[in-house]
Amino acid sequence: MSRKTRRPQTYIGLLLFSGVIAFQGCVSGKNKENQPVRTNQQTSANNPVFPANHSGNTGASASKNPYSTDEHDIIHGKQLFQSNCTACHNFEQKGIGPNLAGVTTRDTPEWLTKFVRNAPEVIKSGDAKAIKLYEEYKQMMPPFTAFTPGEVQSILAYLHAQQPASAIDENTAKLGPPLSDPIPTKIPKSELLLSLESITTAPATAEKIPLARINTMVVLPGKKNRVFIQDLRGILYEMEGKNLRQYLDMSKERPAFISTPGLATGLGSYAFHPEFYKNGFFYTTHTEKANTAPADFAYADSIKVALQWVLTEWKLPDPHASVFSGKGRELLRVNMVNQIHGVQEITFNPFAKPSSPDYGLLYIGVGDGGAAEQKYSFLCNSNKTVWSTVLRIDPRGNNSKNGHYGIPAINPFAQDKDPETLGEIFATGFRNPNRIYWAPDGKMLISDIGLTNIEELNIGKAGANYGWPAREGTFLLNYQGKMDKVYALPADDAQYNYTYPVVQFDHDEGNAFSAGFVYNGSIPLLKNKYIFGDIVSGRVFFVENNQLKLGQQAPIQEFTLQMDGTTSTFQTITGNKKTDLRFGMGLQNELYLYTKTDGKIYRVNNCLPNKKI
């Protein structure tokens, strides 16, 4: 891959305009560099997000333009938008936030200005539209009072300049009717009650929600098994009983480390080499600003770089030490179009024995970085590009292009004699391969967080293509147009040879797949169940592991939750519509659930029949 460089761009926070709700915890501020940004972004057909007639907002008058048409104002607004908003918004379709095409024709400049400046205040005031949006997106962006009135007006001028074209998307017309409810069968409540007990609360690493971005739990086997859990803001803890002791602070090891603006940025993942106690090798992924260093995987200069993901190998002189100490070397660096769907999960196959060709090989989940939503779908779903893939490398080898790692001969494209394909690739076609896990029976399970319709779990298979962005779950997606709808698969679907998920649910049930584990602990009623959930709502589901088979979708059931003896839900406990639920597995295969919103960690202590009174 060519090593392209760009001028750095400052991304301070996320703005979600006109009813756009942003993630709490994004940092308010303004772009201090004001560097011009080139873009290939285009407008699309009109896609109203809100009713045209809503209380107190009548839309901008078509006969009088209240927005500046000065070229300098629009360019300045574009710079601010590119630096602060594109992680969640574009002018093509709804994503993390609403489609912004035509937003200035649907709301008054006064309302938009107030919302951009201080969304929480508008919501608190009882504004019906703001409350409706909060209910829909379950997030509230912090106030952006650091923006001057002039900067806000420049942003609105840019948004107004992006009014949608009236052209009809001919491709959409060929797809048939969109599916308003892709999976009409609702997830039933099981007759099982999952009992949880509070264990501890992770140290707060922010003053605002999410208080602690606790993410992945890893058990390090040895004479004495050790348990670790990381906060995406850069802290890795060792969990000793109910206590969390700081083991590593990434900001001290890598001064260029950044954890803003959220959306999985930060200390993404970590993994101990299978022979860690012999060789001291430890691996991490983390984010740095755009243009911090030349990327091993880059793209054309005409496409902006939001940030870079870095994979590092660390050599620890004393693997038994209670506090991290080691020297790192960079294995690879990847440019990302957006802050979302980066290089997160890294892991080794725990069942691979020293005699296995898979032993010591590192799996790496690489999301599409928002490329498909920004209309750079050519970066995705290809064995010639790194984005939208799961990679498999030999971190101790050196036959890669940069000479810093090895490409295993067993990889599906390593021996194809095509200089254009990437031998590192294990599988393609993922939007966000958020978690990679091996079940006790050896199945490789890869969760994939969807866009606006489908969440999925896949069985990993070398060389397989899982369809994104042409597919979302078992449905057709119009990646060349608006991506907010899905359609029935075409009659000739078999010719594309896509591999489809073994578990899927639509957004009537949840908004983001929170991957879990096949339970193999001491609680009889949980044995051999794959337990997982929804990140946003905090609902907890299960499927039977023996029903996870290629070519079919396992039926999902939902647990009733009991927390410290009281039946409840994570939304109630956290007091927030977005719970940020995650799952972990600790010692003796104990199952843990934890919520980033409040940093609380729970352990599953029982599963009982939920007797109906």
Side-chain angles (χ1 to χ4, degrees):
M1 302 291 290
S2 61
R3 295 188 173 187
K4 304 289 185 181
T5 59
R6 291 179 50 80
R7 285 180 289 185
Q9 298 297 321
T10 301
Y11 45 91
I12 313 288
L14 301 177
L15 291 180
L16 291 85
F17 298 108
S18 182
V20 190
I21 308 300
F23 286 95
Q24 295 183 6
C26 55
V27 181
S28 62
K30 55 189 177 182
N31 180 6
K32 293 183 172 61
E33 294 184 359
N34 292 332
Q35 297 291 335
V37 181
R38 288 183 287 171
T39 178
N40 292 333
Q41 197 170 41
Q42 299 177 356
T43 56
S44 69
N46 192 13
N47 180 29
V49 179
F50 315 114
N53 183 19
H54 56 273
S55 176
N57 300 307
T58 58
S61 169
S63 61
K64 182 179 180 181
N65 181 12
Y67 301 103
S68 172
T69 58
D70 182 83
E71 181 181 0
H72 296 289
D73 288 341
I74 293 172
I75 291 174
H76 188 204
K78 179 179 180 180
Q79 293 166 349
L80 292 169
F81 183 85
Q82 290 280 3
S83 298
N84 294 279
C85 315
T86 54
C88 298
H89 299 284
N90 57 61
F91 303 98
E92 293 285 349
Q93 64 271 323
K94 173 176 158 182
I96 290 176
N99 178 349
L100 297 186
V103 68
T104 56
T105 66
R106 297 190 295 275
D107 296 294
T108 65
E110 294 78 17
W111 192 92
L112 290 172
T113 299
K114 286 193 298 183
F115 196 87
V116 169
R117 291 277 292 168
N118 200 332
E121 185 176 85
V122 177
I123 294 168
K124 187 178 179 180
S125 73
D127 183 276
K129 175 178 177 177
I131 291 173
K132 180 181 177 182
L133 290 159
Y134 175 67
E135 293 289 328
E136 180 179 357
Y137 289 92
K138 303 175 180 65
Q139 309 293 330
M140 185 186 300
M141 75 178 180
F144 279 85
T145 52
F147 280 102
T148 67
E151 287 173 325
V152 173
Q153 294 313 305
S154 291
I155 292 168
L156 296 182
Y158 170 66
L159 293 181
H160 190 65
Q162 307 306 305
Q163 291 187 67
S166 59
I168 296 174
D169 181 359
E170 296 180 1
N171 183 56
T172 300
K174 300 175 183 178
L175 303 178
L179 302 177
S180 59
D181 189 0
I183 306 175
T185 302
K186 302 307 176 187
I187 296 176
K189 277 272 192 178
S190 74
E191 296 186 0
L192 294 179
L193 184 148
L194 193 67
S195 177
L196 311 175
E197 60 178 331
S198 302
I199 295 299
T200 189
T201 300
T205 50
E207 295 180 357
K208 296 182 179 180
I209 292 174
L211 299 181
R213 295 173 63 203
I214 45 179
N215 201 44
T216 307
M217 182 178 289
V218 170
V219 174
L220 172 61
K223 290 183 179 179
K224 176 187 175 183
N225 290 347
R226 300 165 66 183
V227 182
F228 294 82
I229 187 170
Q230 108 270 27
D231 185 311
L232 291 168
R233 293 189 176 106
I235 307 298
L236 179 62
Y237 301 101
E238 182 168 358
M239 188 171 179
E240 299 173 323
K242 295 185 177 183
N243 299 317
L244 296 181
R245 178 179 50 77
Q246 184 172 308
Y247 178 72
L248 164 70
D249 182 347
M250 182 60 77
S251 66
K252 294 181 179 178
E253 303 298 330
R254 288 291 183 263
F257 168 80
I258 58 171
S259 63
T260 55
L263 304 175
T265 54
L267 175 57
S269 187
Y270 62 101
F272 298 92
H273 191 278
E275 297 182 359
F276 173 73
Y277 281 120
K278 293 181 180 179
N279 60 28
F281 289 121
F282 172 67
Y283 301 87
T284 62
T285 60
H286 74 276
T287 45
E288 298 184 0
K289 290 182 179 181
N291 203 38
T292 298
D296 299 292
F297 298 98
Y299 39 75
D301 284 343
S302 58
I303 305 173
K304 82 160 190 171
V305 178
L307 49 72
Q308 297 179 320
W309 276 91
V310 183
L311 172 65
T312 305
E313 177 186 79
W314 304 88
K315 172 68 174 176
L316 280 63
D318 181 7
H320 297 274
S322 60
V323 177
F324 176 89
S325 176
K327 294 183 178 181
R329 70 179 184 97
E330 186 172 309
L331 298 188
L332 58 86
R333 181 177 292 259
V334 182
N335 282 345
M336 285 289 166
V337 172
N338 221 318
Q339 295 94 329
I340 54 179
H341 326 154
V343 182
Q344 294 185 53
E345 182 83 330
I346 56 173
T347 185
F348 293 91
N349 181 349
F351 297 111
K353 304 299 181 184
S355 59
S356 165
D358 208 28
Y359 185 74
L361 301 186
L362 185 66
Y363 288 80
I364 308 163
V366 183
D368 78 343
E373 292 150 72
Q374 297 293 326
K375 297 305 171 192
Y376 304 128
S377 56
F378 53 86
L379 294 177
C380 316
N381 201 332
S382 170
N383 60 10
K384 298 178 174 63
T385 59
V386 73
W387 301 275
S388 189
T389 69
V390 169
L391 308 180
R392 180 170 60 182
I393 69 168
D394 178 2
R396 303 302 305 136
N398 60 10
N399 66 331
S400 61
K401 186 173 181 179
N402 67 6
H404 296 167
Y405 59 90
I407 297 176
I410 61 170
N411 279 5
F413 309 110
Q415 306 294 327
D416 63 4
K417 302 185 186 304
D418 184 345
E420 296 297 317
T421 60
L422 298 179
E424 294 92 334
I425 291 177
F426 174 81
T428 62
F430 300 98
R431 178 177 183 262
N432 182 4
N434 190 251
R435 292 287 178 270
I436 303 169
Y437 160 73
W438 281 264
D441 60 5
K443 286 197 297 285
M444 180 186 183
L445 300 176
I446 306 171
S447 63
D448 196 5
I449 296 178
L451 180 56
T452 57
N453 282 278
I454 306 298
E455 304 301 312
E456 63 186 71
L457 179 74
N458 299 279
I459 291 180
K461 186 173 67 171
N465 184 329
Y466 294 85
W468 176 264
R471 300 290 185 270
E472 189 174 41
T474 57
F475 301 94
L476 178 68
L477 195 63
N478 181 17
Y479 67 92
Q480 295 176 322
K482 292 186 291 185
M483 299 172 69
D484 59 340
K485 304 292 183 183
V486 291
Y487 305 81
L489 294 176
D492 62 349
D493 183 64
Q495 70 170 307
Y496 299 102
N497 199 30
Y498 291 131
T499 299
Y500 287 115
V502 294
V503 174
Q504 63 178 0
F505 60 84
D506 65 14
H507 283 202
D508 286 347
E509 306 287 357
N511 297 92
F513 199 106
S514 186
F517 303 87
V518 174
Y519 185 80
N520 196 29
S522 60
I523 302 173
L525 286 178
L526 294 182
K527 288 278 190 180
N528 299 314
K529 287 178 170 54
Y530 176 75
I531 302 169
F532 64 106
D534 173 50
I535 288 174
V536 178
S537 68
R539 295 173 69 186
V540 181
F541 308 122
F542 70 88
V543 297
E544 300 295 337
N545 182 43
N546 61 11
Q547 293 184 321
L548 297 178
K549 297 178 181 178
L550 286 170
Q552 67 181 47
Q553 281 79 50
I556 304 171
Q557 297 183 68
E558 182 178 5
F559 286 110
T560 296
L561 301 180
Q562 184 183 82
M563 302 180 185
D564 294 325
T566 301
T567 301
S568 189
T569 67
F570 276 113
Q571 285 184 329
T572 299
I573 294 296
T574 62
N576 202 290
K577 289 189 176 295
K578 184 179 182 184
T579 66
D580 249 331
L581 176 67
R582 298 296 191 277
F583 292 79
M585 185 169 286
L587 303 176
Q588 287 80 52
N589 296 310
E590 291 178 318
L591 186 64
Y592 290 81
L593 289 78
Y594 34 95
T595 44
K596 292 181 184 179
T597 299
D598 54 13
K600 294 187 182 300
I601 300 175
Y602 302 84
R603 180 171 59 207
V604 174
N605 60 15
N606 209 346
C607 182
L608 305 166
N610 187 24
K611 296 180 181 179
K612 298 178 180 178
I613 300 175

